[in-house]
Amino acid sequence: DACACCSGPFAMNAEREFFSMTFCCGKSICHDCTDSLRTFVGAGRACRCSFCNSPVIDGDKNKVGMLKKHAKKGAAWAQELLGTCYYNCTYMSQSDHYEAKRWFEKA
């Protein structure tokens, strides 16, 4: 796969991740493009997704809400990521393996 922004290859970063995913539409983007987006948003500018024109999502609660919205509509990428969030306690106060299993099975 290649970055949806720059079409470049994915490379592993210091956290041993290959890419980031936009929560609004599920596009995979490389870390250089992610860093550029963070710099742009961090400069106090309003930022919208280049792919779906949604506002860039900030805050854990908003990210989980957007994932649930897409997962309930049947988006496999969101179901898998939501299952991972529930399993690893990412963006949540506690893990829930039952919910994780439920979303993994749907994906």
Side-chain angles (χ1 to χ4, degrees):
D1 287 347
C3 174
C5 269
C6 69
S7 299
F10 294 125
M12 190 181 300
N13 68 359
E15 289 82 28
R16 303 187 59 79
E17 300 168 333
F18 284 97
F19 59 87
S20 294
M21 184 173 286
T22 59
F23 285 86
C24 49
C25 59
K27 300 292 184 188
S28 300
I29 57 176
C30 70
H31 293 294
D32 289 338
C33 291
T34 301
D35 291 342
S36 296
L37 179 63
R38 285 186 184 135
T39 301
F40 187 76
V41 173
R45 300 180 185 114
C47 191
R48 299 185 82 74
C49 177
S50 301
F51 308 105
C52 69
N53 203 33
S54 295
V56 171
I57 298 169
D58 191 27
D60 295 346
K61 186 176 179 181
N62 294 336
K63 290 176 182 176
V64 171
M66 186 62 75
L67 283 176
K68 285 181 180 178
K69 175 183 162 188
H70 288 297
K72 288 177 182 177
K73 288 182 179 179
W77 64 268
Q79 293 168 341
E80 181 180 357
L81 190 52
L82 191 57
T84 301
C85 289
Y86 275 112
Y87 187 82
N88 294 328
C89 191
T90 309
Y91 309 123
M92 300 176 186
S93 58
Q94 63 185 26
S95 64
D96 185 338
H97 291 172
Y98 173 78
E99 276 296 303
K101 182 178 184 249
R102 188 170 77 88
W103 286 111
F104 284 137
E105 287 174 349
K106 287 186 178 208

